[in-house]
Amino acid sequence: MPDAILNIYVARFSIQICKFAARFFEFRPMANITKPSIPKGTRDFGALEMVRRNYIFDTVRQVFQRYGFLPIETPAMENLSTLLGKYGDEGDKLLFKILNSGDFISSAGAPLNANADKAALQICEKGLRYDLTVPFARYVVQHQAELTFPFKRYQIQPVWRADRPQKGRYREFYQCDVDVVGSNSLINEVELIQIVDEVYRKLNINVTLKLNNRKVLAGIAEAIGAAEHIVDITVAIDKLDKIGLDNVNAELQEKGLSADAIEKLQPILKMNGTRQEKFETLRNILTSETGQKGIDELQTLFAYIDALNLSLNVELDLTLARGLNYYTGAIFEVKANDVEIGSITGGGRYDNLTGIFGLDNMSGVGISFGADRIYDVMTQLNLFPDNAVARTQVLFVNFGGEDELYSMKAMSQIRAAGINAEIFPDATKMKKQMGYADKKNIPFVALCGETERLGNTLTIKNMATGEQQSLSLADAIALVKA
Amino acid sequence: MPDAILNIYVARFSIQICKFAARFFEFRPMANITKPSIPKGTRDFGALEMVRRNYIFDTVRQVFQRYGFLPIETPAMENLSTLLGKYGDEGDKLLFKILNSGDFISSAGAPLNANADKAALQICEKGLRYDLTVPFARYVVQHQAELTFPFKRYQIQPVWRADRPQKGRYREFYQCDVDVVGSNSLINEVELIQIVDEVYRKLNINVTLKLNNRKVLAGIAEAIGAAEHIVDITVAIDKLDKIGLDNVNAELQEKGLSADAIEKLQPILKMNGTRQEKFETLRNILTSETGQKGIDELQTLFAYIDALNLSLNVELDLTLARGLNYYTGAIFEVKANDVEIGSITGGGRYDNLTGIFGLDNMSGVGISFGADRIYDVMTQLNLFPDNAVARTQVLFVNFGGEDELYSMKAMSQIRAAGINAEIFPDATKMKKQMGYADKKNIPFVALCGETERLGNTLTIKNMATGEQQSLSLADAIALVKA
């Protein structure tokens, strides 16, 4: 480290430094240098991952916009008062909390509570967003005067959760949410299903969309005289495939359902046949108003889906119980047909998104695309297109002096033609420069030495075939652009 | 709130919920509902701001890629051991620290230190990134085995600083950094200047790039026999325009410079003439090796700039002293010519970016574009292109029933043609639907009632002119796409 730099260290703050002038760090002696790492559950993304992730983001973004949804972004940090109590007690524990700046001990007011959860609230006012839905609800309420309802927004941002990291589960990950608020119309559900169809068609992933309705689940519970057991019933139905009918019935009994209720549930558990036959069975059993309304909604959705010739497979799935404690109508879940990975998209209708922030009667419906799982599916199925690579198309070998300047001028023209190009920064050994092109998978190398400079040509080498051609600039552009 | 939902609340965690199933919050009674807000110094971005910001990001990204730079992203959270001590004591205070999860009090080991800065380190292991440079240095060291050097990367991500919020200064803001490490060649500086030129040409902002070199500043200090006063001298020179020569000299005296040193500095303070004349003056005065090398570097850069016919104005500016404590060669600063707003891009050469993480001899050079200030400049000068709007191109009025389905089918075709379209979700009053189109600045409205449905046409209304036309689907697509 140059001593002169150390000498001036003390004067640091006498120099006016604008906001991003401070982008480089101090050179300070460090006693211990340890190999650096990142917090567990977080990831660095290199160029290839970035390009592939952006391919997914760009695809969903384009489809969202095609359907009239507009982007918003909210801050990474929200007030804890906005976040707390929205995700259950367990969710509160999973929030990353930001320590108050300055003398957080004095500003805590009282000595810290011995209970860590309570003490945290004395010294933290802010937290990192846990999902995009609560910030969206906060946004709608805060900006309601500026918004046009029905308000259609999408949002693609990272969220943070202090979950125990494990394979496929991260503490920082992206969500891609698309929601409409301020409309009860089932067309919104239809359009979200169309969005799912179009996104996965563009990404080339074969998917099945499972559809259920919370009102139908409530209707089942009502019909068998066990309205208060809706969750137990749903959880049990959810296990039918895995544990079989007898075990499901045993579990229901254990949960306190009467023999009569269990008996009445059997026709639903054993229900099969076509979608139409299932609806008829349900119509006969679910006689409550809620149940009938749920069936109406499902049938309406299926009628739209049939009429619009969607290419994705949509299935009625009464066992689909995700989000049962907040969804009030449609429930969606999307799975990849060709990879075992769990749900890659999900969502539903919620009748009171913004009520918690004091704005009532705002029904909404939305879905969320899980970028990380979609990435995993596409990797496993090798679905990323060949052009989803971030790379330089042409490397100019650096021969120094006038040849270098000739190369740089030619390169400006090539870049102006929309081609990514770079020159090796040093006029070093040819082998090293070619090795650089090779490691970076650069498909073409331009060689401009004295001959080319005097003849006003470029020699272009195709790195895959080894073929070399002497070309005019225009022909070189045509060759490397192809 | 439906009671049924409350009833099932307790059962929340008995339902298997996949990662993004938990995107919607619990419906819980709240005693106090306060109008929600966001932390000071942070911002929400609506659709128009998003589109305009993305216009800036997309422009810089495309130019970065054109020059062979590839994207990386690093996590929002870094270990505090990575961040602390890199930004000076004041910077350490401005780091947002993340409270450890779980029982942070017990895991603190000892009772909390009475000093808040020390106590913070007992209960926080992670912090939010403060800039993109330290994470980049950490990335290069951590991933050095996988990287090809010279390593050219760009990174566009938000950073967080607990600065006192004020006009134009935020606690969350984006940086757009582009750096090369592992090469001493001045071509890298040239290419960064070309990038500045191309970015601002594409954004239509007239800028001046000011260029200086730390070695020249050191050479000046050496030449007048006051090497240890380099900062004082630079700060004083920086004020020449504002306070005049006499006051500069007085300040230098106050800082302890000898009369002899101040006397020797006068030819530099009074220096004028062409760039070439200035260089000649400097050559005569800065006789030290460092000083001569600095002049060499600057002259080489100007020779490239002249040869490459850049359109931006590049000025030699000896008063440019930004980042004096970390830059070791070139120093860049870019200002908009037509708006008083301070620097909108800056950077320089640093000789030991990664040394602090144990990887020596990695010289690098980089610049950072300040997205927020660029946004402000473009807003003030009204430079955002008209198509930098996020909007739906066509709104289908909803007449319900069969007309609705007819509209939805036509809309699918329109979307397939790459046009953003939406249908009003409810078959409500015409006035309300037209008002929606109006408020959202949707330029065309499609009216498909019985006449259109039976005639297999669409009536398209141009919202600006009020003109209505009955058209085939193909003609309608041609009209609204134009």
Side-chain angles (χ1 to χ4, degrees):
Chain A
M1 179 178 329
D3 279 347
I5 298 182
L6 272 180
N7 289 342
I8 60 167
Y9 171 66
V10 289
R12 175 183 162 85
F13 294 103
S14 62
I15 303 182
Q16 199 201 351
I17 296 177
C18 82
K19 194 163 68 183
F20 54 81
R23 63 191 284 269
F24 294 107
F25 55 80
E26 307 284 324
F27 292 95
R28 268 179 160 192
M30 280 191 86
N32 299 305
I33 291 176
T34 51
K35 178 144 192 199
S37 62
I38 51 178
K40 60 181 179 179
T42 68
R43 292 165 290 174
D44 284 324
F45 295 108
L48 181 63
E49 289 155 308
M50 283 294 297
V51 172
R52 291 181 162 185
R53 288 167 64 84
N54 284 337
Y55 177 76
I56 296 170
F57 293 139
D58 290 345
T59 302
V60 297
R61 187 181 295 123
Q62 195 198 39
V63 175
F64 293 165
Q65 290 182 179
R66 197 67 80 232
Y67 283 76
F69 291 84
L70 296 180
I72 70 161
E73 278 186 11
T74 61
M77 297 186 283
E78 293 275 353
N79 291 322
L80 276 178
S81 58
T82 299
L83 302 175
L84 285 168
K86 310 304 189 301
Y87 309 102
D89 293 342
E90 197 57 31
D92 285 354
K93 287 187 200 303
L94 298 185
L95 292 173
F96 280 112
K97 298 171 188 77
I98 313 264
L99 189 67
N100 292 340
S101 301
D103 187 354
F104 66 90
I105 298 173
S106 301
S107 56
L112 291 197
N113 198 300
N115 176 292
D117 291 343
K118 289 177 181 159
L121 303 187
Q122 293 179 269
I123 57 177
C124 300
E125 284 172 1
K126 294 180 286 289
L128 294 180
R129 68 173 163 254
Y130 180 88
D131 70 2
L132 301 180
T133 306
V134 168
F136 173 52
R138 192 265 311 146
Y139 180 94
V140 168
V141 176
Q142 190 176 331
H143 299 274
Q144 55 186 289
E146 313 146 34
L147 303 178
T148 306
F149 292 97
F151 179 58
K152 302 170 76 171
R153 86 85 173 80
Y154 72 86
Q155 191 169 355
I156 300 178
Q157 288 191 281
V159 302
W160 294 270
R161 296 183 187 175
D163 261 319
R164 193 174 298 277
Q166 49 181 266
K167 192 179 177 316
R169 180 181 291 179
Y170 303 101
R171 292 184 149 194
E172 173 180 65
F173 58 95
Y174 268 79
Q175 292 192 327
C176 312
D177 278 24
V178 57
D179 291 81
V180 193
V181 290
S183 165
N184 293 305
S185 167
L186 287 172
I187 284 194
N188 298 303
E189 275 84 342
V190 175
E191 294 226 296
L192 292 176
I193 294 169
Q194 286 184 289
I195 285 174
V196 169
D197 186 38
E198 194 157 333
V199 163
Y200 288 112
R201 216 158 7 92
K202 282 195 198 299
L203 294 178
N204 241 326
I205 303 176
N206 295 316
V207 298
T208 298
L209 187 146
K210 295 184 172 190
L211 194 57
N212 199 4
N213 191 300
R214 204 204 116 78
K215 297 187 183 84
V216 169
L217 294 171
I220 292 173
E222 283 165 10
I224 66 172
E228 74 284 9
H229 281 292
I230 178 170
V231 172
D232 296 329
I233 296 165
T234 317
V235 170
I237 294 180
D238 188 44
K239 295 183 186 165
L240 192 57
D241 276 354
K242 289 180 211 130
I243 64 174
L245 186 59
D246 290 350
N247 289 317
V248 166
N249 288 336
E251 181 171 321
L252 288 169
Q253 194 175 358
E254 204 177 289
K255 294 285 182 184
L257 263 82
S258 69
D260 179 54
I262 294 173
E263 181 61 31
K264 284 183 177 160
L265 186 62
Q266 298 311 300
I268 290 168
L269 294 180
K270 292 174 181 166
M271 190 170 73
N272 56 26
T274 64
R275 199 168 73 202
Q276 208 44 50
E277 286 164 357
K278 284 183 186 170
F279 277 130
E280 277 161 28
T281 308
L282 285 173
R283 283 267 177 223
N284 291 330
I285 301 171
L286 311 194
T287 50
S288 70
E289 196 186 332
T290 303
Q292 292 287 327
K293 187 151 196 302
I295 299 168
D296 287 347
E297 290 183 5
L298 280 172
Q299 287 196 301
T300 304
L301 284 191
F302 276 108
Y304 275 113
I305 291 163
D306 293 343
L308 291 168
N309 286 319
L310 302 195
S311 60
L312 91 171
N313 182 28
V314 184
E315 281 178 7
L316 173 65
D317 184 352
L318 295 179
T319 73
L320 180 59
R322 52 175 295 147
L324 194 59
N325 32 354
Y326 34 79
Y327 293 135
T328 51
I331 306 174
F332 309 111
E333 185 172 271
V334 181
K335 290 194 170 184
N337 294 342
D338 307 319
V339 179
E340 273 296 329
I341 201 168
S343 143
I344 54 177
T345 293
R349 161 78 63 177
Y350 40 83
D351 274 346
N352 195 10
L353 175 66
T354 55
I356 203 146
F357 296 119
L359 180 64
D360 286 327
N361 300 318
M362 270 284 165
S363 183
V365 57
I367 51 173
S368 183
F369 288 80
D372 290 293
R373 286 200 181 162
I374 295 172
Y375 185 95
D376 290 345
V377 168
M378 294 188 65
T379 304
Q380 282 190 48
L381 299 178
N382 202 16
L383 291 178
F384 286 106
D386 288 344
N387 60 1
V389 290
R391 69 175 182 202
T392 298
Q393 192 70 2
V394 193
L395 174 78
F396 278 76
V397 169
N398 192 332
F399 291 107
E402 286 183 56
D403 298 335
E404 181 193 88
L405 196 59
Y406 177 81
S407 293
M408 290 179 81
K409 287 178 176 175
M411 191 165 56
S412 290
Q413 302 291 317
I414 283 182
R415 285 173 176 155
I419 296 160
N420 298 347
E422 58 181 294
I423 182 166
F424 196 86
D426 299 285
T428 182
K429 283 188 206 126
M430 185 71 145
K431 193 180 163 190
K432 186 173 177 185
Q433 300 193 44
M434 296 304 276
Y436 176 86
D438 207 44
K439 275 192 224 142
K440 289 189 74 177
N441 280 316
I442 299 176
F444 294 100
V445 166
L447 303 131
C448 299
E450 195 181 8
T451 315
E452 288 80 4
R453 176 165 53 81
L454 296 178
N456 202 24
T457 59
L458 294 85
T459 295
I460 304 287
K461 176 172 179 166
N462 181 321
M463 292 294 278
T465 64
E467 191 191 358
Q468 286 193 193
Q469 288 176 269
S470 176
L471 299 167
S472 70
L473 182 61
D475 289 344
I477 288 173
L479 175 68
V480 302
K481 199 164 193 169
Chain B
M1 179 179 332
D3 280 348
I5 297 182
L6 273 181
N7 290 342
I8 60 166
Y9 170 66
V10 289
R12 174 183 162 86
F13 294 103
S14 62
I15 303 181
Q16 200 201 349
I17 296 176
C18 82
K19 194 164 67 181
F20 52 81
R23 61 192 285 269
F24 294 106
F25 56 78
E26 307 284 325
F27 293 95
R28 270 180 161 190
M30 279 190 90
N32 298 306
I33 291 176
T34 51
K35 179 145 191 197
S37 62
I38 50 178
K40 60 181 178 179
T42 69
R43 293 165 290 174
D44 285 324
F45 295 107
L48 182 63
E49 289 155 308
M50 283 294 297
V51 172
R52 291 181 161 185
R53 288 167 64 84
N54 284 336
Y55 177 76
I56 295 170
F57 294 140
D58 290 345
T59 302
V60 297
R61 187 181 294 123
Q62 196 198 38
V63 175
F64 292 166
Q65 291 183 177
R66 197 67 81 231
Y67 282 76
F69 291 84
L70 296 179
I72 71 161
E73 278 186 11
T74 62
M77 296 185 283
E78 293 275 353
N79 292 321
L80 276 178
S81 58
T82 299
L83 302 175
L84 285 168
K86 310 304 189 303
Y87 308 102
D89 293 342
E90 197 56 32
D92 285 354
K93 286 188 201 302
L94 299 184
L95 292 173
F96 281 112
K97 298 171 189 76
I98 314 264
L99 191 66
N100 291 340
S101 301
D103 187 354
F104 66 91
I105 297 174
S106 300
S107 56
L112 291 196
N113 198 300
N115 175 291
D117 291 342
K118 288 177 181 159
L121 302 188
Q122 294 179 270
I123 57 177
C124 299
E125 285 172 359
K126 295 180 285 288
L128 294 180
R129 67 173 163 254
Y130 179 89
D131 69 3
L132 301 180
T133 306
V134 168
F136 173 53
R138 193 266 310 147
Y139 180 93
V140 169
V141 177
Q142 192 176 330
H143 299 274
Q144 55 185 289
E146 313 146 33
L147 303 179
T148 305
F149 292 96
F151 179 57
K152 302 171 76 170
R153 86 85 174 81
Y154 73 85
Q155 190 169 355
I156 301 176
Q157 289 192 279
V159 301
W160 295 270
R161 298 183 186 175
D163 260 320
R164 192 175 299 277
Q166 49 180 266
K167 193 178 176 318
R169 180 181 290 180
Y170 303 101
R171 291 184 150 195
E172 174 180 64
F173 59 94
Y174 268 79
Q175 292 191 328
C176 311
D177 278 24
V178 58
D179 292 81
V180 193
V181 288
S183 165
N184 293 305
S185 167
L186 287 173
I187 284 194
N188 299 302
E189 275 85 343
V190 175
E191 294 226 296
L192 292 175
I193 294 169
Q194 286 185 289
I195 285 174
V196 169
D197 184 38
E198 194 157 334
V199 163
Y200 288 112
R201 216 161 4 95
K202 282 194 197 303
L203 294 178
N204 242 327
I205 303 176
N206 296 317
V207 298
T208 297
L209 186 146
K210 295 183 173 191
L211 194 57
N212 199 2
N213 191 300
R214 204 202 117 78
K215 297 187 183 84
V216 168
L217 294 171
I220 292 173
E222 284 164 10
I224 65 171
E228 75 283 9
H229 281 291
I230 178 170
V231 172
D232 295 329
I233 296 166
T234 318
V235 170
I237 294 179
D238 188 44
K239 293 183 186 164
L240 191 58
D241 275 356
K242 288 179 211 131
I243 63 175
L245 186 59
D246 289 349
N247 287 318
V248 167
N249 288 336
E251 182 171 320
L252 288 170
Q253 195 176 359
E254 203 177 289
K255 295 284 183 183
L257 262 82
S258 68
D260 179 55
I262 295 173
E263 180 60 32
K264 284 182 177 161
L265 187 62
Q266 298 311 300
I268 291 169
L269 293 181
K270 292 175 182 167
M271 191 169 71
N272 56 24
T274 65
R275 198 168 74 204
Q276 207 46 50
E277 286 163 358
K278 283 183 185 169
F279 278 129
E280 277 160 29
T281 308
L282 284 174
R283 283 268 176 221
N284 292 329
I285 301 172
L286 311 194
T287 51
S288 70
E289 196 186 334
T290 304
Q292 291 287 327
K293 189 155 193 304
I295 299 169
D296 287 346
E297 290 182 7
L298 280 171
Q299 287 196 300
T300 304
L301 284 191
F302 276 108
Y304 276 113
I305 291 163
D306 292 343
L308 290 168
N309 285 319
L310 302 195
S311 62
L312 90 171
N313 182 26
V314 183
E315 282 177 7
L316 172 65
D317 184 352
L318 296 179
T319 72
L320 179 59
R322 52 176 294 148
L324 195 60
N325 33 353
Y326 33 81
Y327 293 135
T328 51
I331 306 173
F332 309 113
E333 186 173 88
V334 180
K335 291 195 170 182
N337 294 342
D338 307 320
V339 179
E340 273 296 327
I341 201 170
S343 142
I344 55 178
T345 293
R349 161 77 63 177
Y350 38 84
D351 273 347
N352 195 10
L353 175 67
T354 56
I356 205 148
F357 296 119
L359 181 65
D360 285 326
N361 300 316
M362 271 286 166
S363 183
V365 57
I367 50 172
S368 183
F369 288 81
D372 290 292
R373 288 202 180 160
I374 295 172
Y375 185 96
D376 290 344
V377 168
M378 294 188 66
T379 304
Q380 283 190 47
L381 298 178
N382 202 17
L383 290 178
F384 287 107
D386 287 345
N387 60 1
V389 291
R391 69 175 181 203
T392 298
Q393 191 71 0
V394 192
L395 174 79
F396 278 77
V397 169
N398 192 332
F399 291 107
E402 286 182 58
D403 298 335
E404 180 191 88
L405 196 58
Y406 176 81
S407 293
M408 290 179 81
K409 286 178 177 176
M411 190 165 55
S412 290
Q413 301 292 316
I414 283 181
R415 286 173 176 157
I419 296 159
N420 298 348
E422 58 180 296
I423 182 166
F424 197 84
D426 299 284
T428 182
K429 281 188 209 128
M430 186 71 145
K431 192 179 163 190
K432 186 173 176 186
Q433 300 192 45
M434 298 303 277
Y436 175 86
D438 208 43
K439 275 192 225 142
K440 289 188 73 177
N441 280 316
I442 298 175
F444 295 100
V445 166
L447 302 132
C448 299
E450 195 180 9
T451 314
E452 288 81 5
R453 176 165 53 82
L454 296 177
N456 202 25
T457 59
L458 293 85
T459 295
I460 303 288
K461 175 172 180 168
N462 181 322
M463 292 293 280
T465 64
E467 189 190 1
Q468 287 194 191
Q469 289 178 267
S470 176
L471 299 166
S472 69
L473 182 60
D475 289 343
I477 288 173
L479 175 68
V480 302
K481 200 166 191 169

